[in-house]
Amino acid sequence: MSTVRKQVMIALAALSLGGAAMAAQADAQAPQAQQRHQWTQQEREAHRAEFQAKMAQHMKERAQKLHDALQLSAAQEPAWTTFVGAMHPAHPEAKRGEFRGLAQLPAPQRMQKMIELSKQRTARMESRLAALNTFYATLTPQQKKVFDEQTSRGMGGHGMGEHRQGGMRG
């Protein structure tokens, strides 16, 4: 056999041994990786609470940034307070419970429940719209321009309302 062939054979043998060793190591680590992601109920609740606190802080900072950019007058402050109050989410624990047991319902009742939840969401959005319209009417043309720019930036077309990763949702 030529030396090149021998070297190729040795390289292939080394690669196959290395691959087998890596596969064995991955198999040994797989149960550990699965265990790492299985949280207890307390851990899930703690993580959820931490996330909700971070989101609440983010929304508060964002609202403050918008407030500062608008340079509101004292006469506009009550409408601002109403607007911000309407944009903040309802208690998240109550909303999450709406979907419990949905999968166990028969298809027609599940669809009916989903329609009811959709109507509730629409009612919340209409309430926000009313607060937005009241506040927006108090703004000067320059403030409206700032508001429109600030509330559409980075929102993927969702504005200040129902957005999954930011904004003031509920």
Side-chain angles (χ1 to χ4, degrees):
M1 233 192 268
S2 71
T3 43
V4 173
R5 277 191 176 171
K6 286 181 186 177
Q7 289 176 346
V8 169
M9 295 300 280
I10 292 171
L12 288 174
L15 283 173
S16 64
L17 286 175
M22 287 175 52
Q25 183 180 6
D27 287 343
Q29 289 178 349
Q32 293 172 350
Q34 288 176 349
Q35 289 174 354
R36 223 179 300 141
H37 296 297
Q38 293 177 352
W39 292 354
T40 66
Q41 183 67 25
Q42 286 178 320
E43 289 171 329
R44 271 194 299 276
E45 289 173 6
H47 180 73
R48 186 177 299 121
E50 180 183 339
F51 175 77
Q52 288 170 351
K54 283 182 184 178
M55 285 305 298
Q57 181 63 31
H58 173 73
M59 289 186 339
K60 185 177 179 180
E61 290 169 1
R62 196 158 168 226
Q64 186 60 48
K65 182 179 175 186
L66 178 60
H67 180 272
D68 295 344
L70 290 173
Q71 300 174 353
L72 298 173
S73 69
Q76 293 170 318
E77 286 295 333
W80 167 260
T81 303
T82 302
F83 165 71
V84 171
M87 290 298 139
H88 283 283
H91 197 277
E93 295 298 318
K95 286 179 58 183
R96 188 173 45 254
E98 295 174 345
F99 296 97
R100 284 202 183 106
L102 202 59
Q104 284 77 28
L105 293 175
Q109 284 131 350
R110 185 171 50 244
M111 177 69 80
Q112 182 62 42
K113 180 68 173 176
M114 290 168 62
I115 290 169
E116 290 170 19
L117 294 172
S118 179
K119 287 177 182 178
Q120 291 171 9
R121 180 176 180 266
T122 299
R124 289 191 306 266
M125 290 174 66
E126 287 172 344
S127 173
R128 288 189 191 111
L129 175 60
L132 172 61
N133 284 333
T134 301
F135 173 64
Y136 200 79
T138 68
L139 299 177
T140 66
Q142 180 58 33
Q143 287 173 322
K144 287 178 182 179
K145 183 179 177 187
V146 170
F147 184 89
D148 291 340
E149 288 171 359
Q150 293 273 325
T151 58
S152 67
R153 192 176 317 144
M155 297 303 292
H158 292 284
M160 294 288 287
E162 302 282 330
H163 191 273
R164 298 272 182 230
Q165 295 296 322
M168 297 180 186
R169 66 181 187 149

XYZ file of all heavy atoms in Angstrom, residues 62-141:
629
model
N -40.278 52.868 29.330
C -40.706 53.288 28.000
C -41.757 54.394 28.077
O -41.724 55.352 27.297
C -41.263 52.069 27.279
C -41.365 52.302 25.842
C -41.404 51.032 25.059
N -41.784 51.513 23.748
C -42.698 50.970 23.008
N -43.290 49.890 23.394
N -43.010 51.498 21.860
N -42.695 54.250 28.990
C -43.718 55.282 29.176
C -43.075 56.586 29.643
O -43.456 57.671 29.177
C -44.771 54.811 30.181
N -42.097 56.489 30.535
C -41.420 57.694 31.013
C -40.657 58.374 29.872
O -40.665 59.600 29.764
C -40.467 57.371 32.167
C -39.845 58.590 32.804
C -40.887 59.548 33.392
O -41.787 59.133 34.115
N -40.782 60.820 33.060
N -40.022 57.592 29.029
C -39.287 58.137 27.886
C -40.251 58.872 26.949
O -39.952 59.974 26.472
C -38.564 57.018 27.142
C -37.747 57.489 25.969
C -37.046 56.328 25.287
C -36.329 56.793 24.044
N -35.758 55.691 23.281
N -41.412 58.267 26.687
C -42.412 58.904 25.840
C -42.931 60.184 26.501
O -43.046 61.220 25.852
C -43.563 57.935 25.567
C -44.722 58.474 24.731
C -44.238 58.915 23.351
C -45.808 57.414 24.591
N -43.201 60.116 27.788
C -43.678 61.280 28.535
C -42.679 62.429 28.421
O -43.056 63.581 28.158
C -43.896 60.900 30.011
C -44.391 62.017 30.861
N -43.547 62.897 31.501
C -45.652 62.409 31.182
C -44.258 63.771 32.179
N -45.543 63.493 32.001
N -41.405 62.116 28.604
C -40.367 63.146 28.523
C -40.268 63.725 27.113
O -40.111 64.938 26.938
C -39.008 62.584 28.950
C -38.978 62.183 30.416
O -39.878 62.591 31.188
O -38.040 61.444 30.801
N -40.364 62.873 26.098
C -40.255 63.326 24.718
C -41.434 64.217 24.325
O -41.273 65.146 23.525
C -40.171 62.132 23.774
N -42.604 63.949 24.907
C -43.792 64.737 24.561
C -43.794 66.123 25.207
O -44.478 67.021 24.721
C -45.062 63.980 24.964
C -45.375 62.742 24.135
C -46.552 61.988 24.727
C -45.645 63.109 22.683
N -43.073 66.291 26.290
C -43.041 67.572 27.016
C -44.472 68.058 27.274
O -44.890 69.129 26.839
C -42.246 68.613 26.237
C -40.808 68.209 26.002
C -40.046 69.169 25.108
O -40.612 70.102 24.533
N -38.752 68.947 24.988
N -45.207 67.264 28.020
C -46.620 67.541 28.281
C -46.805 68.751 29.187
O -46.014 68.989 30.093
C -47.276 66.315 28.925
C -47.278 65.041 28.079
C -47.806 63.873 28.892
C -48.089 65.234 26.814
N -47.909 69.438 28.953
C -48.278 70.558 29.827
C -49.051 70.004 31.026
O -49.496 68.846 31.016
C -49.151 71.552 29.063
O -50.417 70.983 28.777
N -49.235 70.833 32.010
C -49.993 70.413 33.194
C -51.424 70.038 32.816
O -52.008 69.118 33.394
C -49.995 71.527 34.240
N -51.999 70.712 31.832
C -53.371 70.422 31.402
C -53.470 69.057 30.712
O -54.540 68.445 30.710
C -53.860 71.515 30.454
N -52.371 68.567 30.154
C -52.385 67.288 29.450
C -52.124 66.093 30.372
O -52.393 64.955 30.008
C -51.323 67.288 28.340
C -51.629 68.265 27.230
C -50.447 68.423 26.280
O -49.297 68.510 26.716
N -50.732 68.450 24.981
N -51.629 66.362 31.569
C -51.249 65.280 32.491
C -52.396 64.339 32.866
O -52.197 63.128 32.892
C -50.601 65.848 33.754
C -49.189 66.359 33.544
C -48.174 65.287 33.176
O -48.357 64.102 33.551
O -47.193 65.616 32.515
N -53.611 64.847 33.175
C -54.690 63.902 33.516
C -55.004 62.917 32.374
O -55.216 61.727 32.619
C -55.894 64.806 33.802
C -55.292 66.114 34.189
C -54.037 66.236 33.388
N -55.020 63.408 31.140
C -55.279 62.523 30.000
C -54.133 61.516 29.844
O -54.367 60.355 29.509
C -55.456 63.336 28.719
N -52.893 61.956 30.113
C -51.735 61.046 30.056
C -51.894 59.932 31.092
O -51.696 58.766 30.785
C -50.441 61.813 30.296
C -49.261 60.926 30.564
C -48.719 60.620 31.776
C -48.505 60.181 29.607
N -47.671 59.748 31.632
C -47.515 59.459 30.305
C -48.564 60.057 28.221
C -46.603 58.625 29.663
C -47.649 59.236 27.586
C -46.680 58.527 28.312
N -52.264 60.305 32.297
C -52.418 59.321 33.376
C -53.487 58.289 33.016
O -53.286 57.081 33.213
C -52.767 60.035 34.693
O -51.730 60.986 34.980
C -52.886 59.057 35.844
N -54.594 58.739 32.474
C -55.664 57.833 32.054
C -55.181 56.921 30.928
O -55.426 55.714 30.943
C -56.898 58.631 31.590
O -57.324 59.471 32.666
C -58.034 57.715 31.171
N -54.474 57.514 29.968
C -53.946 56.745 28.836
C -52.992 55.651 29.312
O -53.136 54.488 28.947
C -53.242 57.690 27.855
C -52.366 56.986 26.865
C -52.914 56.226 25.849
C -50.988 57.090 26.937
C -52.106 55.578 24.927
C -50.181 56.445 26.024
C -50.733 55.690 25.015
N -52.026 56.004 30.145
C -51.048 55.020 30.622
C -51.734 53.940 31.441
O -51.429 52.751 31.311
C -49.918 55.708 31.423
C -49.026 54.689 32.103
C -49.088 56.583 30.505
N -52.694 54.324 32.274
C -53.439 53.339 33.060
C -54.187 52.350 32.184
O -54.260 51.160 32.489
N -54.726 52.824 31.074
C -55.466 51.942 30.163
C -54.538 51.010 29.394
O -54.934 49.908 29.010
C -56.277 52.784 29.176
N -53.307 51.426 29.180
C -52.368 50.621 28.396
C -51.733 49.500 29.210
O -51.304 48.495 28.645
C -51.239 51.491 27.826
C -51.678 52.433 26.754
S -52.335 51.558 25.327
C -53.717 52.584 24.933
N -51.658 49.656 30.512
C -51.010 48.632 31.328
C -51.881 47.393 31.390
O -53.104 47.474 31.429
C -50.701 49.166 32.734
C -49.512 50.068 32.733
N -48.227 49.596 32.663
C -49.407 51.412 32.756
C -47.388 50.610 32.665
N -48.081 51.728 32.708
N -51.255 46.228 31.415
C -52.021 44.980 31.372
C -52.818 44.738 32.642
O -52.452 45.221 33.711
C -50.942 43.908 31.211
C -49.708 44.517 31.774
C -49.818 45.992 31.502
N -53.872 43.961 32.457
C -54.610 43.470 33.617
C -53.703 42.492 34.348
O -52.654 42.113 33.846
C -55.888 42.778 33.151
N -54.093 42.064 35.501
C -53.257 41.140 36.272
C -52.974 39.894 35.435
O -53.903 39.191 35.037
C -53.958 40.770 37.579
C -53.033 40.177 38.573
N -52.684 38.848 38.553
C -52.345 40.737 39.595
C -51.831 38.609 39.533
N -51.609 39.733 40.173
N -51.695 39.608 35.131
C -51.367 38.488 34.229
C -51.847 37.131 34.721
O -52.169 36.270 33.916
C -49.840 38.504 34.157
C -49.388 39.757 34.803
C -50.526 40.307 35.599
N -51.906 36.920 36.022
C -52.352 35.629 36.548
C -53.795 35.350 36.129
O -54.139 34.231 35.793
C -52.232 35.600 38.076
C -50.803 35.681 38.578
C -49.948 34.519 38.125
O -50.431 33.370 38.152
O -48.795 34.758 37.738
N -54.629 36.382 36.152
C -56.031 36.203 35.783
C -56.155 35.846 34.307
O -56.930 34.974 33.935
C -56.812 37.480 36.085
N -55.373 36.493 33.455
C -55.448 36.223 32.026
C -54.962 34.824 31.687
O -55.518 34.167 30.824
C -54.628 37.255 31.261
C -55.285 38.607 31.208
C -54.447 39.587 30.466
C -54.179 39.096 29.079
N -53.312 39.958 28.304
N -53.912 34.356 32.344
C -53.364 33.045 32.032
C -54.389 31.955 32.348
O -54.492 30.967 31.650
C -52.062 32.807 32.795
C -51.361 31.552 32.351
C -49.991 31.356 32.943
N -49.878 31.605 34.348
C -49.300 32.680 34.876
N -48.787 33.600 34.119
N -49.225 32.842 36.175
N -55.180 32.138 33.385
C -56.176 31.152 33.770
C -57.292 30.990 32.750
O -57.981 29.976 32.752
N -57.469 31.972 31.871
C -58.522 31.894 30.865
C -58.346 30.691 29.943
O -59.319 30.161 29.423
C -58.536 33.173 30.017
C -58.907 34.418 30.772
C -58.756 35.681 29.933
O -58.099 35.634 28.876
O -59.297 36.707 30.343
N -57.122 30.262 29.737
C -56.852 29.206 28.768
C -56.738 27.824 29.402
O -56.631 26.836 28.682
C -55.562 29.526 27.990
C -55.703 30.771 27.162
C -55.236 31.979 27.633
C -56.319 30.728 25.936
C -55.376 33.131 26.879
C -56.467 31.872 25.172
C -55.988 33.081 25.648
N -56.760 27.748 30.714
C -56.681 26.441 31.366
C -57.902 25.604 31.014
O -59.021 26.090 31.014
C -56.596 26.612 32.883
C -55.235 27.050 33.314
C -54.970 26.722 34.768
N -53.664 27.260 35.103
C -53.485 28.339 35.852
N -54.507 28.954 36.381
N -52.268 28.778 36.093
N -57.671 24.360 30.741
C -58.765 23.451 30.457
C -59.340 23.571 29.061
O -60.259 22.843 28.706
N -58.812 24.471 28.262
C -59.339 24.678 26.913
C -59.171 23.422 26.060
O -60.078 23.038 25.322
C -58.607 25.861 26.264
C -59.290 26.580 25.121
C -60.636 27.146 25.557
C -58.416 27.703 24.607
N -58.038 22.755 26.193
C -57.762 21.565 25.382
C -58.696 20.404 25.727
O -58.942 19.534 24.885
C -56.312 21.130 25.563
N -59.239 20.379 26.944
C -60.110 19.276 27.348
C -61.546 19.454 26.867
O -62.335 18.525 26.929
C -60.113 19.129 28.883
C -58.857 18.484 29.440
C -57.678 19.443 29.483
O -57.845 20.639 29.587
N -56.472 18.898 29.381
N -61.888 20.629 26.393
C -63.251 20.880 25.931
C -63.486 20.234 24.574
O -62.569 20.126 23.763
C -63.497 22.385 25.804
C -63.507 23.204 27.082
C -63.644 24.686 26.758
C -64.628 22.763 28.006
N -64.723 19.827 24.313
C -65.048 19.342 22.964
C -64.873 20.491 21.961
O -64.980 21.669 22.323
C -66.522 18.940 23.068
C -66.774 18.767 24.530
C -65.833 19.688 25.234
N -64.611 20.177 20.718
C -64.284 21.168 19.690
C -65.280 22.328 19.611
O -64.858 23.489 19.589
C -64.123 20.495 18.334
N -66.600 22.090 19.592
C -67.520 23.234 19.498
C -67.430 24.174 20.717
O -67.436 25.395 20.562
C -68.909 22.590 19.416
C -68.651 21.216 18.899
C -67.321 20.816 19.472
N -67.312 23.596 21.931
C -67.197 24.451 23.120
C -65.854 25.162 23.163
O -65.765 26.296 23.611
C -67.416 23.628 24.394
C -68.876 23.312 24.602
C -69.079 21.852 24.895
O -68.165 21.050 24.767
N -70.300 21.497 25.269
N -64.805 24.484 22.686
C -63.481 25.104 22.643
C -63.513 26.323 21.707
O -63.016 27.390 22.038
C -62.437 24.084 22.175
C -61.028 24.610 22.214
C -59.981 23.533 21.952
N -60.240 22.722 20.768
C -60.483 21.412 20.775
N -60.491 20.724 21.895
N -60.693 20.765 19.652
N -64.146 26.157 20.543
C -64.269 27.258 19.594
C -65.090 28.399 20.205
O -64.733 29.568 20.083
C -64.909 26.783 18.296
C -65.133 27.892 17.286
S -63.619 28.555 16.596
C -63.265 27.325 15.375
N -66.181 28.066 20.905
C -67.014 29.088 21.543
C -66.209 29.857 22.589
O -66.287 31.071 22.672
C -68.252 28.448 22.185
C -69.193 29.446 22.820
C -69.775 30.425 21.817
O -70.157 30.048 20.714
N -69.826 31.696 22.181
N -65.426 29.135 23.388
C -64.595 29.766 24.413
C -63.550 30.687 23.767
O -63.302 31.794 24.253
C -63.912 28.692 25.272
C -63.038 29.231 26.363
C -63.831 29.920 27.438
C -62.932 30.298 28.584
N -63.612 31.049 29.606
N -62.980 30.242 22.658
C -61.990 31.060 21.967
C -62.633 32.345 21.421
O -62.033 33.421 21.475
C -61.325 30.260 20.847
C -60.405 29.162 21.378
S -59.856 27.966 20.140
C -58.958 28.989 19.022
N -63.864 32.247 20.944
C -64.590 33.426 20.463
C -64.861 34.375 21.626
O -64.684 35.597 21.501
C -65.893 33.018 19.744
C -65.547 32.331 18.416
C -66.804 34.226 19.527
C -66.732 31.660 17.739
N -65.266 33.832 22.774
C -65.512 34.668 23.957
C -64.235 35.398 24.384
O -64.268 36.595 24.689
C -66.039 33.812 25.109
C -67.440 33.295 24.919
C -67.838 32.254 25.971
O -67.187 32.195 27.038
O -68.786 31.505 25.714
N -63.129 34.677 24.405
C -61.862 35.293 24.778
C -61.456 36.370 23.779
O -60.931 37.426 24.155
C -60.756 34.230 24.903
C -60.932 33.233 26.043
C -59.893 32.123 25.953
C -60.860 33.933 27.385
N -61.719 36.126 22.512
C -61.421 37.110 21.481
C -62.267 38.372 21.677
O -61.781 39.495 21.525
C -61.673 36.512 20.099
O -61.404 37.453 19.096
N -63.533 38.187 22.024
C -64.412 39.340 22.277
C -63.925 40.137 23.491
O -63.967 41.371 23.485
C -65.854 38.873 22.497
C -66.531 38.408 21.223
C -67.934 37.894 21.510
C -68.610 37.383 20.249
N -69.956 36.844 20.524
N -63.459 39.431 24.517
C -62.923 40.122 25.697
C -61.681 40.929 25.333
O -61.505 42.058 25.785
C -62.596 39.126 26.798
C -63.803 38.477 27.423
C -63.446 37.335 28.361
O -62.284 37.118 28.684
N -64.453 36.594 28.785
N -60.818 40.345 24.509
C -59.614 41.042 24.069
C -59.998 42.270 23.249
O -59.424 43.346 23.413
C -58.743 40.100 23.238
C -57.469 40.754 22.750
C -56.601 39.725 22.000
N -55.387 40.331 21.540
C -55.214 40.845 20.327
N -56.210 40.837 19.458
N -54.058 41.359 19.975
N -60.985 42.122 22.373
C -61.442 43.259 21.567
C -61.996 44.363 22.465
O -61.727 45.548 22.236
C -62.501 42.798 20.546
O -61.902 41.824 19.689
C -63.021 43.950 19.720
N -62.729 43.997 23.500
C -63.267 44.995 24.428
C -62.136 45.738 25.139
O -62.205 46.962 25.319
C -64.193 44.336 25.441
N -61.080 45.012 25.548
C -59.928 45.667 26.177
C -59.251 46.628 25.208
O -58.871 47.741 25.567
C -58.927 44.632 26.678
C -59.385 43.835 27.877
C -58.276 43.005 28.507
N -57.580 42.112 27.602
C -57.890 40.832 27.400
N -58.901 40.290 28.048
N -57.191 40.088 26.572
N -59.142 46.209 23.945
C -58.512 47.063 22.939
C -59.363 48.302 22.663
O -58.833 49.403 22.480
C -58.266 46.267 21.658
C -57.174 45.228 21.818
S -56.983 44.149 20.374
C -56.420 45.323 19.156
N -60.682 48.142 22.649
C -61.567 49.282 22.432
C -61.473 50.270 23.584
O -61.509 51.488 23.381
C -63.004 48.819 22.212
C -63.201 48.169 20.860
C -64.569 47.528 20.678
O -65.289 47.315 21.691
O -64.913 47.217 19.518
N -61.322 49.753 24.794
C -61.136 50.620 25.954
C -59.829 51.405 25.835
O -59.777 52.595 26.135
C -61.133 49.770 27.230
O -60.810 50.543 28.342
N -58.785 50.725 25.383
C -57.506 51.404 25.167
C -57.624 52.456 24.075
O -57.041 53.530 24.168
C -56.429 50.400 24.784
C -56.018 49.545 25.920
C -54.795 48.721 25.521
N -54.575 47.731 26.533
C -54.745 46.437 26.363
N -55.096 45.959 25.200
N -54.540 45.604 27.349
N -58.351 52.123 23.023
C -58.536 53.071 21.934
C -59.239 54.335 22.427
O -58.851 55.449 22.056
C -59.332 52.438 20.788
C -59.683 53.375 19.630
C -58.416 53.936 18.982
C -60.546 52.648 18.610
N -60.237 54.178 23.258
C -60.943 55.344 23.799
C -59.981 56.219 24.604
O -59.976 57.453 24.455
C -62.122 54.904 24.666
N -59.159 55.595 25.442
C -58.178 56.357 26.226
C -57.149 57.006 25.305
O -56.746 58.164 25.522
C -57.485 55.447 27.238
N -56.733 56.297 24.275
C -55.775 56.858 23.322
C -56.377 58.054 22.595
O -55.729 59.097 22.472
C -55.344 55.791 22.308
C -54.493 56.269 21.133
C -53.182 56.872 21.619
C -54.240 55.136 20.170
N -57.597 57.922 22.122
C -58.247 59.028 21.409
C -58.394 60.256 22.298
O -58.151 61.381 21.857
C -59.613 58.603 20.864
C -59.485 57.744 19.631
O -58.510 57.829 18.886
N -60.471 56.887 19.402
N -58.772 60.038 23.555
C -58.914 61.157 24.488
C -57.573 61.845 24.707
O -57.475 63.070 24.655
C -59.484 60.662 25.834
O -60.757 60.059 25.597
C -59.635 61.792 26.825
N -56.533 61.068 24.929
C -55.203 61.638 25.143
C -54.680 62.301 23.871
O -54.186 63.427 23.901
C -54.227 60.553 25.619
C -52.811 61.028 25.699
C -52.452 62.025 26.597
C -51.843 60.499 24.875
C -51.141 62.483 26.667
C -50.527 60.938 24.945
C -50.178 61.928 25.836
N -54.817 61.626 22.750
C -54.288 62.127 21.478
C -54.914 63.472 21.120
O -54.255 64.343 20.552
C -54.565 61.090 20.392
C -53.697 61.207 19.158
C -52.399 60.731 19.159
C -54.195 61.760 17.975
C -51.599 60.794 18.028
C -53.412 61.834 16.835
C -52.109 61.355 16.870
O -51.330 61.432 15.742
N -56.186 63.648 21.464
C -56.883 64.904 21.180
C -56.286 66.077 21.957
O -56.428 67.230 21.539
C -58.371 64.766 21.489
N -55.609 65.807 23.069
C -55.015 66.892 23.860
C -53.646 67.319 23.335
O -53.113 68.337 23.771
C -54.835 66.477 25.341
O -53.833 65.468 25.436
C -56.148 66.003 25.946
N -53.073 66.542 22.407
C -51.721 66.820 21.927
C -51.702 67.891 20.844
O -52.641 68.011 20.048
C -51.086 65.539 21.375
C -50.912 64.383 22.353
C -50.335 63.170 21.628
C -50.031 64.777 23.520
N -50.610 68.617 20.811
C -50.375 69.582 19.737
C -49.927 68.802 18.496
O -49.540 67.629 18.601
C -49.258 70.567 20.126
O -48.023 69.846 20.236
C -49.578 71.298 21.435
N -49.954 69.425 17.335
C -49.483 68.725 16.136
C -48.039 68.201 16.275
O -47.747 67.081 15.831
C -49.584 69.780 15.029
C -50.705 70.665 15.478
C -50.564 70.721 16.980
